[in-house]
Each structure stands twice: as C-alpha cells, then as structure tokens.
Amino acid sequence: MRKGLIVDAVEYDVEAIQDRWLPVWDDLAPFRSGKPDDPRPRKYVLDMFPYPSGDLHMGHAEAYAIGDVIARYWVQKGFNVMHPIGWDAFGLPAENAAIRRGANPKTWTYDNIAQQRESMRRYACSFDWDRTLNTCDPQYYHWNQWLFLKMFERGLAYRKASSVNWCPNDQTVLANEQVVNGKCERCDTVVVKKKLTQWYLRITDYAERLLDDMRPLEGTWPDKVLTMQRNWIGRSVGAEVQFEIEGRDEPVTVYTTRPDTLYGATFFVVAVDSDLAAELVQGSGVEQQFADYLAGVSTMSEIDRMSAERPKTGVFLQRYAINPVNGEKLPVYASDYVLADYGTGAIMAVPAHDQRDLDFARAFDLPVRVVVQSEEDPAQTWVATADDGPHVNSGPLDGLGTAEAVEKVIEELAGANRGRAAVNYRLRDWLISRQRYWGTPIPIIHCPTCGEVPVPEDQLPVELPDPAGLDLQPKGTSPLGAASEWLNVDCPRCGGPAKRDSDTMDTFVDSSWYFLRFLDPHRSDAPFDPQQARDWMPVDQYVGGVTHAILHLLYARFFTKVLHDMGMVDFTEPFSSLLNQGMVVMDGSAMSKSRGNLVRLSDELAVHGVDAVRLTMVFAGPPEDDIDWADVSPAASVRFLTRAWRLSGDVTSEPGVDPASGDIGLRRTIHRLIHDADHAVESFRFNVAVAKVMEMVNATRKAIDSGPGPADPAVREAAEAVAILLSLVAPYTAEDMWARLGHEPSVALAGWPTVDPELVRALAVTCVVQVAGKVKARLEVDPEIGEEDLQALALSDPAIVAALDGATPRRVIVRAPKLVNIVPG
RNA sequence: GCCCGGGUGGCGGAACAGGCAGACGCACUCGGCUUAAACCCGAGGGUCGAAAGACGUGCGGGUUCAAAUCCCGCCCCGGGCACCA
C-alpha cells in the first residue's frame, strides 16, 4: 500500500477519490506508448483533436469518454496503445477574440490549451502526454509549408483566378466544403461569389481513388459517412461532345450524361460567368444586355442563385452552334443555370428530357423535340421525361433503348472525332487560401520577374510576424500584407525585390496529416518518421463527430494518398475504422447560450464527479446516437458507482485466493457477464457493456448479503472483475476499489479477466415449449440433451398435454436445447 | 425530387445468425428504515382482463412450425445531396 493512501473509508467520496488518484497516475504514467522495448502488439486509437476555443464542453466529454473506453479496453487486452491528443490551434475564433479584446491570438490560444489540457487530465483521459502537439507551433506548421511545397512541385498546388465563395462576415474565401446550404459553415452568413486568384490543391485528380478506396472501408466506417463522401464526390458518367460555333475556329466541348438525346438538342447554353460567354458576346450587338445580366447575376447570393424555383433567365448571344450529328443550327444563350466550373461550362440543351432545359425553353419559347418515346408529351405537360424508351427522331438511334443508344452515339462521335465517353465529378479543387492572420503562411514568394517562387526548404518555417501593430480587422485582404518588414523580401531565385504571399492556409490543412505527426511529434528534420508510420499506421480506431464527415475526413484521405504517391507512407487510407459519436443536446435541441439550455460540463463534474459524468455519457445509449441530457441521470450513475464501490469494502478474503473453490453459481454468472461485456465493447455497444457490469454488481451484492457470503473466493473474483471492467468507464472508482481489494495501482494495467469457457457453458438451459408458436411450458434441461429425449420430455409435460387437449401433434420442431414447437393436428 | 439511416413500454434503450420481446437504467407505485423528509434497502409493473386468457415491436400484406428480425407495398421521423447537364 502506498504511503498516505486512505483506502479504509466507509463512504464513497467522489472528491477525495479523485484527489487521491490523480497524482498517483501522473507519477505512474500508465499510458505512455512507443517505448522501444515494448513487446505488446500495437494499436493506434485517435480522438479528433479539439479546437481550443475555451474550456471543454459536454460534447468533448462524450467524445473523449468514448475514445477512452476503447483505448483503455485495448490496454486491458494487452496492447501497446497509442492514444495521443493535440490541439487544432489555428483558426478564426482566436483571431476574433483577439480583435475583441486586443490580445495576441497566440496568448489566447495557449491559455485555452493549458485549460483544456488540465481539464482532460482531470477527466482521466488516457492520453500519452508525451505526444501532444499544437498546430499553431512553428515546429508544426513548418511541415504544413513543407508539404505544400511538395505538392507545388508536383503540380498539386496551383493558383488560378476563379469565381469563389466569399464570406462577407469573416471577410475571407471559403472552400466548397465549407459552404453549407449557401451559408458559411462557421458563421452562417450568406455566401456570395467573387472572382479572385487563389491557391488550390488538386484534390480532383484523386476523385476516382477517393471513391474506389472507400469500398474496403465498408463495414468499418459508418455507411452514412461513406454515402456523404460519395455524394460529395458526385461521379457521373457520360460523354463529351464537340460543337462547332459559327464564326469561331475552335469547336466547343460540352459534357452530357445523356449523349443519346443529342438529336433532341434544340439550343445551346454557356455559363454567363464563363470566359467562353465573354468571348462569344464580342461583336454580337448584345454586349450591353449581356453585361447588365452578368452584373445582376454576380451580386446574387449563392442561396438565391441555387434556388431551382427561380424562373430561368438568359441572353441570346446572336450566335449558333452546329449539332455534330445532324448539322442543325442551335441558338447559343448565356444563362446562370449553367455552372462555369462544372464540366466545360457549356451544355447542349435537350428540353424534352431535361427539366431545366425545358423550363428555359418555355421561358424563351424554344422548340421541344421528343427523342425518347413516352406517354406524356413534355411540350404539353411541361414535365421533362426521363424514361428508358425507344428512341425516335434520332436517325441511326431510332428504336434503341437508352443504354444501346448511348453506346452507339459515343461510337459514332468517336469515329468522327467529335466526342468520346467521359466521366465528371461534382468535387472541385480545394481552395486553401484565407485572407486572415492566424494560420500557416503560404511559403511562396511572388517575384515580378520569376513569378511564383517557393521559399527554399532551409528557410522554413516562414513564421507569422508579430501581430503587434498589425490591423487584424477583417478587411478582405490578409493582415499579413501590412507587415512590410515581413512581406518584402529578396527573390530567392534572382535576388530582386519580391513579396511574400500574404494569405494563410485553410486550417483543414493542419488536420489533414496531424495523425502522422503524433508518431514523432518532436522530430525536426521531417514531418514524421516513415518507420513509425509503418509501425503504427493506419489508425486502428478513429473517434469523432459526424460534422467532419466530408470536410476533414475527405481532406485527410486526400493527403494520405498524396503522401503515398510521394513514397512517404505505404498505405492509402489513414483510418481503418471510424466511430462517429452523437451530440449532447438538451430538451431536444443543440445546447447554446442563446437558447438558454446550456449545460456546463464543469458544473456537472462538480456536482457528480468525473466518473459519473463519463458513465452517464457511455450508458445513455449507442455511441452514435445523440444524448439528450434531459433524459439521463448522472445522479443515478453516482448511485451505481457507490454500489459498485461498496463491494470492494465488503470482500473479506485475501488477495490471491484461488477462485476455483468459490461459489459455482456466482462464478458462472460473472464469467458469462464478462464474456457478454467483452463482446459488447468489441462491437461498440458500450451501453450494453455497462449494463452487464451493473448485473455483475447486482449479482455480487446478492452473493454477499444472501448467498455464499463475503468470504467466498468467488465474491473476490467478482469484485475484482467489476473493478477492472469499470476501469474503462470510471477509472477513479475502479482504482479505489482495486486498492481496497488490496492491490497496487494501477487497475488500468490489471489485464482483462480471462473467461473460463467451462463456466460460460450453461449447466442447464431453459427450454421453451410452444404449441402453435405460443409458449405453454418451460423446462430446465441439460444443454447436451438429445432431440428425441427433449421431444419426449416436452410431450409428456402436463401443461403441454393439457394444451394439446387430446389432439395428436401434426409436427414437432425440436431445436435442442432451446426450443420445442408443437404443431397440433 | 434523389440517396442513406431509423420507428420496440411513461422515458433512454436491450434482444449474437429467424427461436422466451422489453436486459440494464430512469421515472413511477407500494413496503422497510426515519420523529419526518431525503438518502438507502426490498418489492412491483407492456396493454386489456377479476381470472383463464387474448392482444402486442409505425401501418397493410406475404414467407415460415416460428418474424422486432426476412420479402413486397405504404406512412412517419432524422440526416445528406440538390439548376452538377
């Protein structure tokens, strides 16, 4: 027994128990991983790292409780578990807080990190505290810059002028993934479009692999997430078709998923904000009308523009495209219903079989030609048809079904060098520049003579300049642009005067590879150690909220594939298994100060203690479901923990006593329940595992009070098993029980109890005897009973004889030893 | 509109692979302890019914000796995508 430990208390005192064990654990450090001589097989358990926007809240408490159960389970099962934590420490909240209070974003961030770190320690998270990282440390973002330059070398990072999403509140551009229903993901402000030159990562090059590599994740990733990613990538199969434009040398290519309807094209549309539209309008005589239309469109918010209800608008450009299959002249329109950055920004319009084209045709009084037969006439109903029927008015395609017609028309177009089969994706390249201060500077120098010049590797990291004296107010251009000392540099190539790129990177870059940095977080000559990556990666279990289903998870998968192609890692997917925990809500809706339904984690911890809060989180239901705090009872958790804890004080046998001589009934129950709990944890049904431990406590209580009594060796075996199983969820209580049972800390390393298969195998089972599917009798039978014996036994049972009432069984189904079903004649 | 999930007591939720529906807990009721209350301990309960029994996992059908579980058709709830050609 350790000096000064009080383990003979008679009352369960939450505060005292927490204060007693926390320093002991600091000292013991039971969760350090990666020692070179550790013979245990490795497991990597990763919780999504938090953003340090304040202290931990209820959501963190749930997520980290769940991750901790998994990590602690594997430790008990004998694995060398790496369970690291760090901070996603760059981002707007720090900057906005700094603006509000005039503080340095760095100070604000590190203060919050210190607070969260202490809260996590007290929350008994089994993190390896030697492996922490902060993405805002230059030692970390150094490697963001290094990776960016590697991508730049490979043509995967590039700058282009394009129409981008602009958040007028945050005064910065956003990636497509960060626009939700036309609003800024972060602040809910309606996003507008702006034409700007920005940095992109070429994630679209990986679209096919991002899609294909999801197949092996089926079963270990939630279907929901896989579906969301598939939708987001949005693969579509079709064809590219070239149209000549009268008076233009080069043909224009369009993308269509329905090349079979080519004969039904009656007009042609280009995106109003595309370069092509700007070119085609030249000399058309409608330049002013076009310019007015374009101006109107560009001030529109994304929400308005996306509305399908909006009537179709456009401008006839006074020009004609030639249908390659029949030479027909198709009028060319500019419209905002065609997107400049999908496909080629131009479409062939087939009003009979595409609702959008039909709406446009109706608005502009254009002809509608049916080329796939169906009962309804789109020109009458104004409903486009999409049936698979025989083609008509389509020359050589007449009579063919859609699949054949698609094949045939592509063949003919290819033969005439007028088109080919093609695949398109909804996914766009990832826009990573941000016009804000608190992020990773983009390591590029703009030189008037040499152009975009990478910062030489030996000059990395490009550190953020001191914010003192800088105006961090959002103003549409990066605050770094005003740091002239920092901004103005000599070109590394020609030595002439040049300027640094003043934008910073999207913070999702930081989180796209942090799981690799944990392997060797202090390394200074590389982002991570390739050998460690071989040893530990991919992550065995990733735990986090579904809010990142597309954003972070897609980007991290993309980075992993890029690193694979660079030869830095030998795997292509970073996370073998993913668990999405639900949210903690109150009275049915998300907690928020403005709603007045905010439950403060610190309050709950102060009232009920760490173990009870953790237990409540885990017992509330399946981990992926939301927890309504109004539906759960942390007080009940305290009650249960107290009952469990008392067992440890009641056991009177000595540690090490052989359980084999203990009460066989209790032993059977306990071993069965350990077995069940084990199974439940393996399949993430932690609430069920807790229920099994509750049953163990109930059974042990009964054995002490009205069974074999406190001295029985089986009672000790049971109490020790309770302590070990409970250590996953309620580490303080479990540690205290362990000490009261006469053991040295830490129970976290005690090892999962071994289940004796002989004890799990039941001595007698209850056999249900049904007549016509209704239970009429129950028999206690030997589990090994033969079918004939069981049938005879069932048929002679008085209750069955009575239920049959003289009728002869027409059929008897025997499933020994569990069930007999008698079908009366 | 399209694509995923999901509907089980008053509530959160159990039910491995078609075989006793409702584990475990909350709330509730009753009893014990207490001067009293809380805490704690014990007992109870799907619904209807006095009982025997009947009915019961969103609704309607089907398969099967047997369906919460499998199949078909609906309804409702949650989520994702949505002018992506």
Side-chain angles (χ1 to χ4, degrees):
Chain A
M1 200 67 52
R2 284 175 175 248
K3 198 171 139 235
L5 296 184
I6 306 154
V7 290
D8 55 352
V10 288
E11 287 303 320
Y12 176 75
D13 181 341
V14 175
E15 285 290 324
I17 290 174
Q18 288 176 188
D19 292 344
R20 184 178 309 151
W21 294 111
L22 207 44
V24 175
W25 292 338
D26 287 342
D27 197 31
L28 266 174
F31 301 112
R32 296 296 189 270
S33 50
K35 300 207 179 91
D37 56 345
D38 198 323
R40 297 174 296 172
R42 284 177 280 256
K43 286 269 189 190
Y44 187 173
V45 181
L46 183 62
D47 294 294
M48 288 184 185
F49 65 168
Y51 185 84
S53 56
D55 201 356
L56 299 184
H57 53 66
M58 297 294 279
H60 293 120
E62 186 197 3
Y64 296 129
I66 287 168
D68 218 46
V69 169
I70 297 171
R72 286 171 175 271
Y73 172 74
W74 276 339
V75 170
Q76 294 285 22
K77 280 283 190 171
F79 288 90
N80 177 13
V81 174
M82 178 161 73
H83 186 208
I85 192 70
W87 281 270
D88 190 11
F90 267 141
L92 277 184
E95 202 162 333
N96 291 337
I99 292 164
R100 266 198 313 276
R101 303 172 204 177
N104 188 324
K106 192 192 258 178
T107 317
W108 183 88
T109 302
Y110 283 95
D111 285 352
N112 284 339
I113 289 173
Q115 189 183 21
Q116 288 197 351
R117 187 185 169 113
E118 176 51 25
S119 295
M120 286 168 170
R121 173 178 163 266
R122 208 166 158 71
Y123 199 60
C125 294
S126 64
F127 296 133
D128 182 343
W129 294 109
D130 291 342
R131 292 185 184 271
T132 58
L133 62 81
N134 307 312
T135 58
C136 64
D137 287 344
Q139 296 80 353
Y140 185 88
Y141 69 72
H142 178 150
W143 301 108
N144 278 347
Q145 295 173 339
W146 186 86
L147 288 165
F148 175 90
L149 291 179
K150 291 292 162 197
M151 292 198 190
F152 183 70
E153 273 170 33
R154 302 179 145 251
L156 292 173
Y158 69 98
R159 227 155 66 112
K160 73 171 175 190
S162 179
S163 179
V164 300
N165 302 302
W166 177 263
C167 173
N169 179 54
D170 290 339
Q171 290 280 304
T172 183
V173 297
L174 300 170
N176 261 327
E177 289 78 9
Q178 290 153 21
V179 181
V180 178
N181 294 327
K183 293 179 181 173
C184 172
E185 175 239 354
R186 182 175 298 284
C187 68
D188 256 9
T189 305
V190 173
V191 164
V192 297
K193 285 284 184 183
K194 255 195 178 186
K195 193 120 185 175
L196 287 172
T197 300
Q198 301 284 311
W199 285 99
Y200 291 81
L201 298 184
R202 219 179 279 281
I203 191 170
T204 53
D205 274 14
Y206 286 78
E208 195 72 44
R209 286 166 66 187
L210 286 166
L211 215 44
D212 290 345
D213 291 351
M214 272 191 271
R215 201 168 294 262
L217 300 177
E218 282 170 20
T220 55
W221 276 42
D223 286 343
K224 185 179 174 180
V225 173
L226 295 174
T227 305
M228 284 169 72
Q229 293 222 355
R230 286 193 179 107
N231 287 345
W232 188 260
I233 295 166
R235 183 180 199 264
S236 87
V237 178
E240 286 180 349
V241 184
Q242 290 182 0
F243 284 72
E244 297 292 343
I245 306 276
E246 279 187 346
R248 187 178 195 264
D249 296 338
E250 288 292 306
V252 171
T253 304
V254 304
Y255 173 75
T256 174
T257 52
R258 291 297 303 276
D260 59 305
T261 62
L262 190 46
Y263 286 86
T266 55
F267 57 103
F268 193 95
V269 189
V270 297
V272 61
D273 50 346
S274 65
D275 295 341
L276 182 62
E279 177 207 316
L280 292 179
V281 77
Q282 300 293 326
S284 64
V286 291
E287 287 92 339
Q288 191 53 50
Q289 197 191 339
F290 174 84
D292 292 347
Y293 179 55
L294 177 59
V297 169
S298 25
T299 55
M300 211 180 288
S301 77
E302 270 305 272
I303 292 188
D304 294 336
R305 177 161 177 179
M306 296 299 240
S307 165
E309 313 303 317
R310 203 162 54 88
K312 293 281 179 285
T313 54
V315 175
F316 176 41
L317 296 180
Q318 310 294 321
R319 307 187 61 157
Y320 292 88
I322 311 297
N323 189 330
V325 290
N326 57 14
E328 282 182 1
K329 284 172 64 169
L330 309 177
V332 177
Y333 288 80
S335 175
D336 63 356
Y337 88 89
V338 170
L339 306 175
D341 58 354
Y342 182 79
T344 59
I347 62 153
M348 66 178 205
V350 184
H353 307 299
D354 182 290
Q355 191 59 48
R356 298 154 297 180
D357 296 344
L358 186 60
D359 294 342
F360 192 90
R362 194 177 185 182
F364 287 81
D365 202 18
L366 292 158
V368 177
R369 185 194 300 153
V370 171
V371 290
V372 183
Q373 221 167 55
S374 70
E375 304 202 345
E376 302 293 322
D377 178 8
Q380 302 293 317
T381 61
W382 298 112
V383 176
T385 60
D387 311 332
D388 184 357
H391 282 56
V392 293
N393 302 320
S394 294
L397 306 183
D398 282 353
L400 298 178
T402 299
E404 298 89 346
V406 167
E407 199 176 322
K408 175 145 193 176
V409 76
I410 288 176
E411 205 173 286
E412 300 210 333
L413 286 165
N417 230 351
R418 285 281 170 198
R420 58 187 181 87
V423 171
N424 241 304
Y425 302 92
R426 213 188 70 104
L427 182 70
R428 307 292 151 82
D429 277 341
W430 175 13
L431 198 174
I432 61 155
S433 344
R434 296 291 180 273
Q435 290 72 45
R436 299 298 298 259
Y437 171 78
W438 192 232
T440 305
I442 292 175
I444 292 286
I445 290 165
H446 298 281
C447 168
T449 40
C450 309
E452 295 160 355
V453 181
V455 172
E457 269 187 42
D458 61 6
Q459 290 174 29
L460 296 182
V462 177
E463 290 199 35
L464 279 171
D466 195 301
L470 287 184
D471 177 16
L472 297 186
Q473 287 294 341
K475 55 192 165 298
T477 58
S478 174
L480 296 182
S484 44
E485 288 277 304
W486 177 90
L487 188 76
N488 293 300
V489 288
D490 295 339
C491 170
R493 200 161 288 167
C494 69
K499 286 188 194 313
R500 292 190 188 281
D501 197 296
S502 61
D503 282 355
T504 51
M505 294 184 203
D506 183 1
T507 55
F508 279 103
V509 171
D510 312 349
S511 51
S512 291
W513 65 282
Y514 78 110
F515 41 91
L516 289 161
R517 186 67 184 170
F518 278 132
L519 305 175
D520 198 0
H522 310 295
R523 197 178 182 89
S524 58
D525 64 341
F528 58 92
D529 176 3
Q531 182 57 47
Q532 299 268 5
R534 272 191 291 279
D535 289 346
W536 288 100
M537 290 290 294
V539 172
D540 293 287
Q541 184 61 56
Y542 199 24
V543 179
V546 75
T547 39
H548 295 103
I550 298 174
L551 292 153
H552 159 61
L553 290 170
L554 188 70
Y555 298 146
R557 295 182 60 224
F558 162 57
F559 259 58
T560 302
K561 287 171 206 310
V562 172
L563 291 167
H564 174 85
D565 291 355
M566 286 165 58
M568 293 184 66
V569 300
D570 58 2
F571 49 89
T572 54
E573 284 292 329
F575 314 121
S576 301
S577 176
L578 173 67
L579 177 63
N580 284 136
Q581 92 279 352
M583 295 188 308
V584 184
V585 302
M586 187 64 187
D587 291 322
S589 52
M591 291 184 190
S592 73
K593 255 182 248 165
S594 54
R595 265 202 201 86
N597 65 348
L598 190 76
V599 180
R600 287 166 48 113
L601 176 60
S602 51
D603 294 347
E604 297 299 294
L605 291 173
V607 174
H608 307 289
V610 168
D611 282 356
V613 170
R614 289 173 55 123
L615 177 69
T616 305
M617 294 290 182
V618 168
F619 184 59
E624 53 278 350
D625 289 3
D626 288 350
I627 298 173
D628 195 323
W629 204 249
D631 289 339
V632 298
S633 172
S637 298
V638 175
R639 207 146 57 213
F640 163 68
L641 291 170
T642 307
R643 273 168 58 77
W645 180 87
R646 284 209 194 105
L647 296 178
S648 63
D650 290 351
V651 172
T652 53
S653 58
E654 289 303 309
V657 66
D658 182 10
S661 61
D663 181 75
I664 192 78
L666 179 60
R667 296 200 74 206
R668 285 187 181 285
T669 305
I670 295 300
H671 279 250
R672 157 63 56 192
L673 290 168
I674 296 168
H675 172 268
D676 290 352
D678 195 351
H679 194 79
V681 174
E682 291 275 357
S683 47
F684 301 148
R685 284 145 50 240
F686 308 121
N687 54 327
V688 178
V690 170
K692 298 298 175 186
V693 180
M694 287 172 169
E695 288 188 65
M696 287 169 72
V697 170
N698 293 343
T700 312
R701 183 79 261 156
K702 204 164 228 168
I704 292 171
D705 291 348
S706 55
D712 192 285
V715 167
R716 167 167 284 276
E717 184 186 26
E720 291 186 350
V722 167
I724 294 169
L725 268 62
L726 210 50
S727 76
L728 312 190
V729 182
Y732 291 105
T733 307
E735 195 73 88
D736 212 62
M737 287 179 72
W738 197 239
R740 286 160 60 86
L741 286 162
H743 296 289
E744 288 292 312
S746 171
V747 68
L749 303 174
W752 196 257
T754 311
V755 172
D756 183 344
E758 268 309 301
L759 293 172
V760 172
R761 199 180 58 81
L763 267 191
V765 297
T766 306
C767 176
V768 177
V769 186
Q770 303 175 324
V771 173
K774 304 274 186 249
V775 180
K776 295 291 177 186
R778 291 160 209 271
L779 309 169
E780 290 298 311
V781 299
D782 186 294
E784 307 293 322
I785 192 168
E787 301 216 330
E788 293 80 9
D789 293 350
L790 184 57
Q791 177 166 344
L793 205 58
L795 287 172
S796 61
D797 186 277
I800 298 305
V801 173
L804 280 173
D805 195 26
T808 342
R810 183 154 58 88
R811 203 177 150 191
V812 181
I813 294 109
V814 183
R815 290 285 176 274
K818 297 279 287 179
L819 179 128
V820 177
N821 188 7
I822 300 161
V823 189

